[in-house]
PDB file of all heavy atoms in Angstrom:
ATOM      1  N   GLY A  89       3.247 -10.221  -7.474  1.00  0.00           N
ATOM      2  CA  GLY A  89       3.481  -8.861  -7.000  1.00  0.00           C
ATOM      3  C   GLY A  89       2.199  -8.057  -7.007  1.00  0.00           C
ATOM      4  O   GLY A  89       1.115  -8.583  -7.324  1.00  0.00           O
ATOM      5  N   GLY A  90       2.327  -6.764  -6.678  1.00  0.00           N
ATOM      6  CA  GLY A  90       1.158  -5.908  -6.505  1.00  0.00           C
ATOM      7  C   GLY A  90       0.410  -5.619  -7.790  1.00  0.00           C
ATOM      8  O   GLY A  90      -0.822  -5.696  -7.829  1.00  0.00           O
ATOM      9  N   SER A  91       1.134  -5.265  -8.860  1.00  0.00           N
ATOM     10  CA  SER A  91       0.439  -4.896 -10.102  1.00  0.00           C
ATOM     11  C   SER A  91      -0.355  -6.085 -10.650  1.00  0.00           C
ATOM     12  O   SER A  91      -1.511  -5.938 -11.059  1.00  0.00           O
ATOM     13  CB  SER A  91       1.436  -4.419 -11.159  1.00  0.00           C
ATOM     14  OG  SER A  91       2.148  -3.305 -10.691  1.00  0.00           O
ATOM     15  N   TYR A 123      -2.144   5.290  -6.401  1.00  0.00           N
ATOM     16  CA  TYR A 123      -1.271   4.435  -7.216  1.00  0.00           C
ATOM     17  C   TYR A 123      -1.643   2.982  -6.997  1.00  0.00           C
ATOM     18  O   TYR A 123      -1.706   2.509  -5.859  1.00  0.00           O
ATOM     19  CB  TYR A 123       0.205   4.659  -6.869  1.00  0.00           C
ATOM     20  CG  TYR A 123       1.125   3.836  -7.749  1.00  0.00           C
ATOM     21  CD1 TYR A 123       1.163   4.043  -9.126  1.00  0.00           C
ATOM     22  CD2 TYR A 123       1.933   2.843  -7.208  1.00  0.00           C
ATOM     23  CE1 TYR A 123       1.980   3.275  -9.944  1.00  0.00           C
ATOM     24  CE2 TYR A 123       2.761   2.069  -8.030  1.00  0.00           C
ATOM     25  CZ  TYR A 123       2.772   2.299  -9.399  1.00  0.00           C
ATOM     26  OH  TYR A 123       3.584   1.537 -10.206  1.00  0.00           O
ATOM     27  N   HIS A 124      -1.882   2.281  -8.111  1.00  0.00           N
ATOM     28  CA  HIS A 124      -2.266   0.876  -7.998  1.00  0.00           C
ATOM     29  C   HIS A 124      -1.365  -0.055  -8.814  1.00  0.00           C
ATOM     30  O   HIS A 124      -1.663  -1.238  -8.919  1.00  0.00           O
ATOM     31  CB  HIS A 124      -3.728   0.698  -8.425  1.00  0.00           C
ATOM     32  CG  HIS A 124      -4.692   1.439  -7.543  1.00  0.00           C
ATOM     33  ND1 HIS A 124      -4.938   1.078  -6.244  1.00  0.00           N
ATOM     34  CD2 HIS A 124      -5.439   2.551  -7.773  1.00  0.00           C
ATOM     35  CE1 HIS A 124      -5.821   1.919  -5.697  1.00  0.00           C
ATOM     36  NE2 HIS A 124      -6.134   2.824  -6.609  1.00  0.00           N
ATOM     37  N   GLY A 125      -0.309   0.477  -9.409  1.00  0.00           N
ATOM     38  CA  GLY A 125       0.608  -0.411 -10.119  1.00  0.00           C
ATOM     39  C   GLY A 125       0.953   0.083 -11.498  1.00  0.00           C
ATOM     40  O   GLY A 125       0.381   1.064 -12.001  1.00  0.00           O
ATOM     41  N   GLU A 197      -6.793   2.843  -2.002  1.00  0.00           N
ATOM     42  CA  GLU A 197      -5.783   2.535  -0.993  1.00  0.00           C
ATOM     43  C   GLU A 197      -6.350   3.079   0.317  1.00  0.00           C
ATOM     44  O   GLU A 197      -6.535   4.303   0.428  1.00  0.00           O
ATOM     45  CB  GLU A 197      -4.482   3.275  -1.278  1.00  0.00           C
ATOM     46  CG  GLU A 197      -3.771   2.916  -2.553  1.00  0.00           C
ATOM     47  CD  GLU A 197      -2.742   3.992  -2.930  1.00  0.00           C
ATOM     48  OE1 GLU A 197      -1.592   3.891  -2.509  1.00  0.00           O
ATOM     49  OE2 GLU A 197      -3.114   4.952  -3.638  1.00  0.00           O
ATOM     50  N   ASP A 231      -7.009  -1.862  -1.996  1.00  0.00           N
ATOM     51  CA  ASP A 231      -5.635  -2.136  -2.426  1.00  0.00           C
ATOM     52  C   ASP A 231      -4.724  -1.938  -1.214  1.00  0.00           C
ATOM     53  O   ASP A 231      -4.360  -0.815  -0.871  1.00  0.00           O
ATOM     54  CB  ASP A 231      -5.252  -1.204  -3.576  1.00  0.00           C
ATOM     55  CG  ASP A 231      -3.802  -1.419  -4.019  1.00  0.00           C
ATOM     56  OD1 ASP A 231      -3.071  -2.163  -3.341  1.00  0.00           O
ATOM     57  OD2 ASP A 231      -3.408  -0.833  -5.046  1.00  0.00           O
ATOM     58  N   VAL A 233      -1.713  -3.289  -0.919  1.00  0.00           N
ATOM     59  CA  VAL A 233      -0.359  -3.707  -1.299  1.00  0.00           C
ATOM     60  C   VAL A 233       0.665  -3.089  -0.337  1.00  0.00           C
ATOM     61  O   VAL A 233       1.597  -3.753   0.105  1.00  0.00           O
ATOM     62  CB  VAL A 233      -0.076  -3.300  -2.767  1.00  0.00           C
ATOM     63  CG1 VAL A 233       1.412  -3.380  -3.099  1.00  0.00           C
ATOM     64  CG2 VAL A 233      -0.867  -4.202  -3.708  1.00  0.00           C
ATOM     65  N   MET A 234       0.452  -1.809  -0.003  1.00  0.00           N
ATOM     66  CA  MET A 234       1.395  -1.152   0.897  1.00  0.00           C
ATOM     67  C   MET A 234       0.942  -1.225   2.355  1.00  0.00           C
ATOM     68  O   MET A 234       1.755  -1.343   3.263  1.00  0.00           O
ATOM     69  CB  MET A 234       1.571   0.307   0.471  1.00  0.00           C
ATOM     70  CG  MET A 234       2.834   0.919   1.002  1.00  0.00           C
ATOM     71  SD  MET A 234       3.090   2.587   0.420  1.00  0.00           S
ATOM     72  CE  MET A 234       4.162   2.357  -0.972  1.00  0.00           C
ATOM     73  N   LYS A 260       3.927  -6.595  -1.374  1.00  0.00           N
ATOM     74  CA  LYS A 260       4.977  -6.002  -0.530  1.00  0.00           C
ATOM     75  C   LYS A 260       5.209  -6.764   0.783  1.00  0.00           C
ATOM     76  O   LYS A 260       5.901  -7.770   0.801  1.00  0.00           O
ATOM     77  CB  LYS A 260       4.656  -4.529  -0.277  1.00  0.00           C
ATOM     78  CG  LYS A 260       4.742  -3.695  -1.561  1.00  0.00           C
ATOM     79  CD  LYS A 260       4.651  -2.222  -1.297  1.00  0.00           C
ATOM     80  CE  LYS A 260       4.638  -1.384  -2.563  1.00  0.00           C
ATOM     81  NZ  LYS A 260       5.899  -0.809  -2.967  1.00  0.00           N
TER      82      LYS A 260
HETATM   83  C1  PLP B 501      -0.926   0.622  -3.284  1.00  0.00           C
HETATM   84  C2  PLP B 501      -0.114  -0.068  -4.337  1.00  0.00           C
HETATM   85  N1  PLP B 501      -0.725  -0.870  -5.217  1.00  0.00           N
HETATM   86  C3  PLP B 501      -0.041  -1.530  -6.163  1.00  0.00           C
HETATM   87  C4  PLP B 501       1.332  -1.387  -6.286  1.00  0.00           C
HETATM   88  C5  PLP B 501       2.080  -2.140  -7.342  1.00  0.00           C
HETATM   89  O1  PLP B 501       2.807  -3.168  -6.772  1.00  0.00           O
HETATM   90  P1  PLP B 501       4.083  -3.788  -7.505  1.00  0.00           P
HETATM   91  O2  PLP B 501       5.087  -2.678  -7.625  1.00  0.00           O
HETATM   92  O3  PLP B 501       4.500  -4.919  -6.606  1.00  0.00           O
HETATM   93  O4  PLP B 501       3.641  -4.267  -8.837  1.00  0.00           O
HETATM   94  C6  PLP B 501       2.013  -0.557  -5.386  1.00  0.00           C
HETATM   95  C7  PLP B 501       3.460  -0.367  -5.507  1.00  0.00           C
HETATM   96  O5  PLP B 501       4.052   0.520  -4.955  1.00  0.00           O
HETATM   97  C8  PLP B 501       1.273   0.125  -4.383  1.00  0.00           C
HETATM   98  O6  PLP B 501       1.866   0.925  -3.499  1.00  0.00           O
END
Side-chain angles (χ1 to χ4, degrees):
S91 301
Y123 183 63
H124 297 291
E197 296 163 90
D231 178 352
V233 165
M234 200 176 264
K260 293 189 184 262

